[in-house]
C-alpha cells in the first residue's frame, strides 16, 4: 500500500511536469545549485530589494553584533541566494566534527553550533559544499600566537520567538525563506 501511494504520487508529479514543462526548470536549477538539499534557504528578491542592509543588521543584532550570513551569492533570475546556511536535510557539515559541536535536534530544521564545544578545527567549514560556514575570531590568542577561531553559521535565529531576523527586518518583504522540498512553493515564489 505504501509503495502504491508513492508510485501514484510520482506519476502525478510526472504528469504535472509534462503539462507544465516550465516547472521542471526550477527542479533542475535546485539540483544544479544544491538548493534541493535546503530545508530553509534564504532568498532575496532583487527586484524589490533596495540594498538597505536591514536584513544584515537584523541578523547582526540577533547574534551579538556578528551577522551569520553574507548578502552575496549565486543568482537565479531576479533572486539572490545569499551565503547563508541552507539547513540541509542531510547536513554533511556535521560529519567529522571531533567534539560533536555541530548538531540538529530531532524533528527540527536548525543545524546549530555549540560555541563552547567548538574547537575551531574548520572541518565543518571545509565540508560545507556551499561555503556557508565561516570561521570567526573570538578575540583570544592561542599559545602559538594565532587567533582562536570558532565556526559560525545561520541558526535561523533559534533564540528569537519572532523567527529569522533577516526575513522579519526586511522593510520591503524581499527576504524569504523556503524549503526546496516544497516545489509548489518554490515555483510560486520564483515565478
Amino acid at each position: 500500500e505504501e509503495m502504491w501511494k508513492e508510485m501514484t504520487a510520482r506519476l502525478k508529479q510526472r504528469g504535472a511536469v509534462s503539462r507544465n514543462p516550465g516547472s521542471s526548470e526550477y527542479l533542475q536549477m535546485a539540483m544544479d545549485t544544491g538548493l534541493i538539499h535546503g530545508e530553509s534557504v534564504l532568498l532575496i528578491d532583487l527586484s524589490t530589494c533596495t540594498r538597505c542592509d536591514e536584513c544584515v543588521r537584523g541578523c547582526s543584532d540577533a547574534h551579538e553584533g556578528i551577522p551569520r550570513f553574507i548578502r552575496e551569492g549565486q543568482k537565479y533570475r531576479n533572486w539572490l541566494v545569499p551565503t547563508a546556511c541552507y539547513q540541509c536535510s542531510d547536513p554533511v557539515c556535521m560529519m567529522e566534527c571531533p567534539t560533536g559541536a555541530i548538531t540538529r535536534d530531532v524533528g527540527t530544521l536548525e543545524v546549530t553550533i555549540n560555541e563552547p564545544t567548538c574547537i575551531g578545527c574548520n572541518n565543518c567549514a571545509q565540508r560545507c559544499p556551499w561555503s556557508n560556514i565561516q570561521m570567526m575570531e573570538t578575540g583570544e590568542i592561542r599559545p602559538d600566537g594565532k587567533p582562536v577561531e570558532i565556526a559560525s553559521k545561520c541558526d535561523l535565529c533559534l533564540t528569537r520567538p519572532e523567527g529569522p531576523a533577516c526575513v522579519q527586518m526586511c522593510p520591503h518583504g524581499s527576504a524569504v525563506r523556503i524549503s526546496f522540498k516544497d516545489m509548489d512553493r518554490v515555483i510560486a515564489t520564483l515565478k
Side-chain angles (χ1 to χ4, degrees), residues 22-95:
S23 68
S24 64
E25 170 191 350
Y26 302 105
L27 181 57
Q28 188 64 50
M29 178 276 296
M31 291 185 336
D32 291 345
T33 60
L35 294 175
I36 194 75
H37 300 285
E39 294 286 351
S40 182
V41 177
L42 176 61
L43 298 175
I44 298 176
D45 185 348
L46 295 175
S47 66
T48 57
C49 175
T50 63
R51 285 52 164 192
C52 67
D53 270 345
E54 284 301 314
C55 55
V56 177
R57 272 189 281 287
C59 180
S60 178
D61 290 346
H63 295 99
E64 300 170 6
I66 301 167
R68 301 286 178 97
F69 80 98
I70 302 168
R71 196 180 46 82
E72 293 177 2
Q74 52 188 319
K75 293 181 178 122
Y76 178 75
R77 294 188 178 175
N78 61 312
W79 291 91
L80 172 69
V81 184
T83 303
C85 180
Y86 301 161
Q87 312 300 331
C88 295
S89 49
D90 186 19
V92 297
C93 59
M94 290 171 48
M95 301 164 113

Side-chain angles (χ1 to χ4, degrees), residues 141-162:
I141 303 295
R142 297 187 326 202
D144 63 3
K146 293 182 181 176
V148 174
E149 294 182 325
I150 59 172
S152 176
K153 62 173 272 324
C154 172
D155 61 0
L156 295 177
C157 296
L158 189 58
T159 59
R160 292 183 82 242
E162 303 90 359

